[in-house]
Amino acid sequence: IPGITTWLVLAGREGSQFGRRDLVPAGAGLLVGLLAYAYLPLAARGNPPINWGDPRTPGRLWWVVSGQMYHPLLLGARPAEWLPRAVAFLREAAEQFGGPWGALLALSGLAALQRRRFALWLGTLLAFAMFALHAITYGSADSFTNLLPAWAIGALWLAAGLAWLIGWVGTKMGGRARLAAVVVLTAALAALPGVALNRHW
């Protein structure tokens, strides 16, 4: 939410089609998505065999929706674990994009966004950093699963990097050479492994 809000507010200043006027429909869309939680008390009344938190009352529903069971895990990792987890995060970040070349392309896309679409750059960077910080400091051995949204954001940077690279090739080459270069680049990126969870911590 902080990343998307930053994007929407700043994009309006850049003359983008997104702006503050879009916050109301965006908030409405968020509320519609949250309506899925309204089903939980209805389902709980049927005494299902799996009834997480038994959310029949407002208090129990809030316990489930707010994830109170997991609150102690927030910033729950020992400070001594933060540095090894940060190193593991950097190693996995490179692996998510098929190695250093893919990671370099994603960083190139991030730099291109900073120059051309500052709002999107700041919004995605803020969201990425928050997911990474959360995963590194979360007091659970499987906290690396919290990085999945970060890798999805990184995929946007990878796409921006590919767009920048194709544009750069287009300015240096012409005709068939340009088409051949685009085909080679696309094939190379298609060979990169997809998002996968490693177990560095």
Side-chain angles (χ1 to χ4, degrees):
I1 290 176
I4 292 174
T5 302
T6 301
W7 176 28
L8 291 175
V9 171
L10 292 182
R13 299 178 185 174
E14 296 179 351
S16 172
Q17 60 181 352
F18 297 103
R20 293 183 182 180
R21 67 184 185 280
D22 298 298
L23 292 178
V24 172
L30 177 63
L31 290 177
V32 169
L34 292 176
L35 284 177
Y37 289 114
Y39 173 71
L40 295 180
L42 300 175
R45 291 178 183 174
N47 295 315
I50 299 177
N51 191 14
W52 183 253
D54 193 18
R56 303 185 201 196
T57 66
R60 296 304 301 170
L61 177 62
W62 179 246
W63 184 88
V64 173
V65 172
S66 63
Q68 292 186 27
M69 178 182 179
Y70 304 104
H71 288 186
L73 298 177
L74 186 64
L75 299 175
R78 299 188 308 272
E81 297 178 286
W82 293 359
L83 182 58
R85 285 186 172 198
V87 173
F89 161 74
L90 293 175
R91 184 165 60 245
E92 177 146 341
E95 292 180 3
Q96 288 301 320
F97 300 107
W101 290 113
L104 182 60
L105 187 60
L107 290 176
S108 299
L110 181 61
L113 287 179
Q114 195 274 336
R115 294 190 302 269
R116 300 175 183 176
R117 301 186 65 184
F118 181 80
L120 184 58
W121 170 80
L122 184 59
T124 56
L125 185 61
L126 177 61
F128 184 91
M130 292 180 71
F131 280 119
L133 181 63
H134 175 64
I136 291 171
T137 60
Y138 195 69
S140 172
D142 62 352
S143 66
F144 58 85
T145 58
N146 295 319
L147 289 172
L148 283 174
W151 305 142
I153 293 170
L156 295 175
W157 298 344
L158 186 62
L162 178 60
W164 167 82
L165 187 57
I166 290 176
W168 181 82
V169 169
T171 61
K172 301 296 182 182
M173 301 180 180
R176 296 178 180 177
R178 181 188 309 174
L179 178 61
V182 170
V183 170
V184 170
L185 288 173
T186 304
L189 285 175
L192 295 178
V195 173
L197 292 176
N198 294 313
R199 287 148 293 279
H200 291 311
W201 64 66

